[in-house]
Amino acid sequence: MSLAVGSTIGILGGGQLGQMLAVAAGRLGYRTAFLEPDPLAPAASFSRQIQAAFDDEDAIFQLESLAQVITLEFENVPAPTLEGLERPLRPAAAICRLASDRRLEKKALEQAGLPVAPYRVLDPQDDDLVLQRALSELGSGLLKTATLGYDGHGQARVSDLAELREALGRQGPSVLEQEVPFTRELSVQVARNPSGQVALSGVIENLHEGGILRRSHYPPQASPQVQERARELARRLANAWSLEGLLTLELFELPDGSLLVNELAPRVHNSGHLSLDGGGFSQFEIQIRAVCDLPLLDFAPEREVFMINLLGWPSPEQEPDLAALLRLPGTHLHLYGKRWRPLRKLGHVNVTGPQAAEIAAEVSALLR
Ligand code: AMP
């Protein structure tokens, strides 16, 4: 049953994703309240903040007394908080838990029949024989921390036992993943509402540098068949897990056109920011619709759109010329109101229009 207009949606986390979810909820006639410890939370410009730690029981009680349903913009909320909620959590705690631990995530993906890169779960206690076997079976690979990794943090490329031992000691329990020769990185989103209706996004092409997303583009260069397969994987997962809410799948396309799932997010995603200005529904509106059990429709952008992340510049005096950027036709600047820190995600620029590719290149150059 749809959530009544005027009800409140609780959001766990108050970063830029929470900010944009709050805007989308407000446009549909809902109020929002969010739990977030950061006193400078971007979502505070549009939503009511409960400023406390994610395991603060009084704060959770307060959130639940305001909200009729809870969603999230940040998956690393402690499991006891997620599991102890009395209001419906969308996506469910079990899905959020999977997405916050690579070991569980990969196993669950395999069980649902989705392909992942070959991997081994490793622990600092494992002896050299185990580590050596993993290396010889996988070849050199990426050691990714099991929990709390993001934007290339908690990740190391390792090619011999000494490197693996050192990185494992530093990172703690991790997954060693074979390095795959992908031709493209793609993402796709799927939303499903409690009534069982499913909606898919367009397939987005992503460019990362140093593990951080720099730029996304719709439509992707991938063939229509590859895009259809990506959407099919997302649909299969949403149905297998009886998803309520929105999930993002990050994928690798291999030279033969096959796909591997790299990772999942149980929420809107940085790559999906281009949906704000590409026409059609935004990922934020779709997550809100799914959470509120409103009707869902597929949400591919209606026109070509590029998204370029505005990352914290290397030093304060290298601040980019945002006025020059705003003068470029077809640019849509989104700033999150966050304090500068090198490489921190401070905003993004969407570029549309007849000259989109050229202007996107200019924007990328201005934001270097
Ligand atoms: P992740 O934190 O897992 O999203 O990884 C960040 C980025 O590192 C990805 O977007 C890829 O560019 C790269 N990467 C991650 N895993 C692999 C892999 N198994 N093989 C090759 N590149 C990878």
Side-chain angles (χ1 to χ4, degrees):
M1 207 176 64
S2 303
L3 189 69
V5 169
S7 304
T8 299
I9 302 165
I11 303 174
L12 299 171
Q16 61 268 19
L17 302 178
Q19 181 188 60
M20 295 182 267
L21 282 169
V23 171
R27 283 178 38 180
L28 285 168
Y30 296 107
R31 294 171 189 278
T32 51
F34 67 100
L35 176 62
E36 164 66 57
D38 183 351
L40 300 174
S45 335
F46 297 98
S47 178
R48 171 166 173 182
Q49 181 168 11
I50 299 166
Q51 194 199 327
F54 289 114
D55 58 0
D56 182 317
E57 287 181 12
D58 290 341
I60 295 161
F61 179 79
Q62 205 186 331
L63 184 71
E64 294 214 274
S65 46
L66 288 169
Q68 284 72 50
V69 62
I70 314 270
T71 188
L72 72 152
E73 62 108 58
F74 173 71
E75 57 272 33
N76 293 317
V77 172
T81 299
L82 296 175
E83 283 154 14
L85 291 172
E86 309 223 326
R87 300 287 187 186
L89 173 66
R90 295 180 180 150
I95 295 180
C96 301
R97 185 107 205 281
L98 293 176
S100 67
D101 186 326
R102 286 187 195 272
R103 295 165 296 189
L104 305 177
E105 180 178 292
K106 287 191 185 295
K107 198 161 159 216
L109 285 166
E110 287 179 311
Q111 281 169 348
L114 276 80
V116 298
Y119 70 97
R120 297 286 178 278
V121 173
L122 297 177
D123 188 278
Q125 321 287 303
D126 289 339
D127 64 37
D128 283 354
L129 267 172
V130 173
L131 303 194
Q132 192 58 63
R133 190 170 343 117
L135 274 172
S136 35
E137 285 167 2
L138 299 181
S140 65
L142 286 146
L143 187 74
K144 302 182 180 178
T145 178
T147 56
L148 299 175
Y150 71 99
D151 286 351
H153 293 275
Q155 241 182 69
R157 183 168 278 110
V158 294
S159 50
D160 60 31
L161 182 61
E163 284 176 359
L164 177 55
R165 174 64 70 202
E166 189 277 322
L168 196 57
R170 192 162 23 86
Q171 288 182 195
S174 295
V175 165
L176 179 64
E177 215 177 281
Q178 190 169 78
E179 189 159 6
V180 297
F182 63 79
T183 47
R184 252 177 231 111
E185 292 194 67
L186 302 170
S187 53
V188 64
Q189 299 177 304
V190 58
R192 185 176 174 279
N193 63 20
S195 301
Q197 221 182 358
V198 172
L200 292 154
S201 72
V203 177
I204 299 167
E205 181 162 345
N206 301 314
L207 183 73
H208 291 79
E209 283 172 25
I212 304 182
L213 181 66
R214 294 285 173 153
R215 182 174 146 134
S216 296
H217 177 216
Y218 178 86
Q221 303 269 316
S223 70
Q225 292 81 352
V226 168
Q227 293 180 53
E228 200 35 54
R229 273 205 295 280
R231 288 157 56 88
E232 199 36 53
L233 291 177
R235 183 195 300 279
R236 195 190 306 166
L237 199 60
N239 286 326
W241 291 355
S242 300
L243 172 70
E244 295 181 353
L246 183 142
L247 272 186
T248 304
L249 279 74
E250 292 184 28
L251 303 157
F252 295 131
E253 181 186 342
L254 301 183
D256 64 0
S258 61
L259 293 168
L260 297 175
V261 181
N262 174 30
E263 63 177 0
L264 288 184
R267 51 161 172 80
V268 283
H269 187 258
N270 190 169
S271 61
H273 292 358
L274 51 69
S275 65
L276 284 166
D277 295 299
F281 303 106
S282 79
Q283 61 168 351
F284 304 99
E285 173 166 348
I286 296 295
Q287 179 165 330
I288 295 296
R289 285 192 188 214
V291 163
C292 298
D293 204 12
L294 292 171
L296 290 176
L297 295 163
D298 285 350
F299 55 111
E302 290 163 350
R303 51 182 175 266
E304 181 175 40
V305 51
F306 292 83
M307 191 276 322
I308 299 112
N309 266 336
L310 169 55
L311 301 179
W313 36 97
S315 64
E317 57 283 1
Q318 285 169 287
E319 183 168 352
D321 183 353
L322 294 185
L325 191 149
L326 288 167
R327 282 192 286 272
L328 293 171
T331 57
H332 306 268
L333 176 63
H334 300 253
L335 290 179
Y336 311 146
K338 286 159 75 174
R339 289 231 175 114
W340 167 83
R341 204 169 57 218
L343 292 179
R344 190 177 195 200
K345 289 176 179 166
L346 302 177
H348 69 271
V349 183
N350 287 336
V351 185
T352 57
Q355 304 290 311
E358 292 80 358
I359 303 274
E362 278 189 59
V363 169
S364 294
L366 272 171
L367 297 185
R368 279 276 143 205

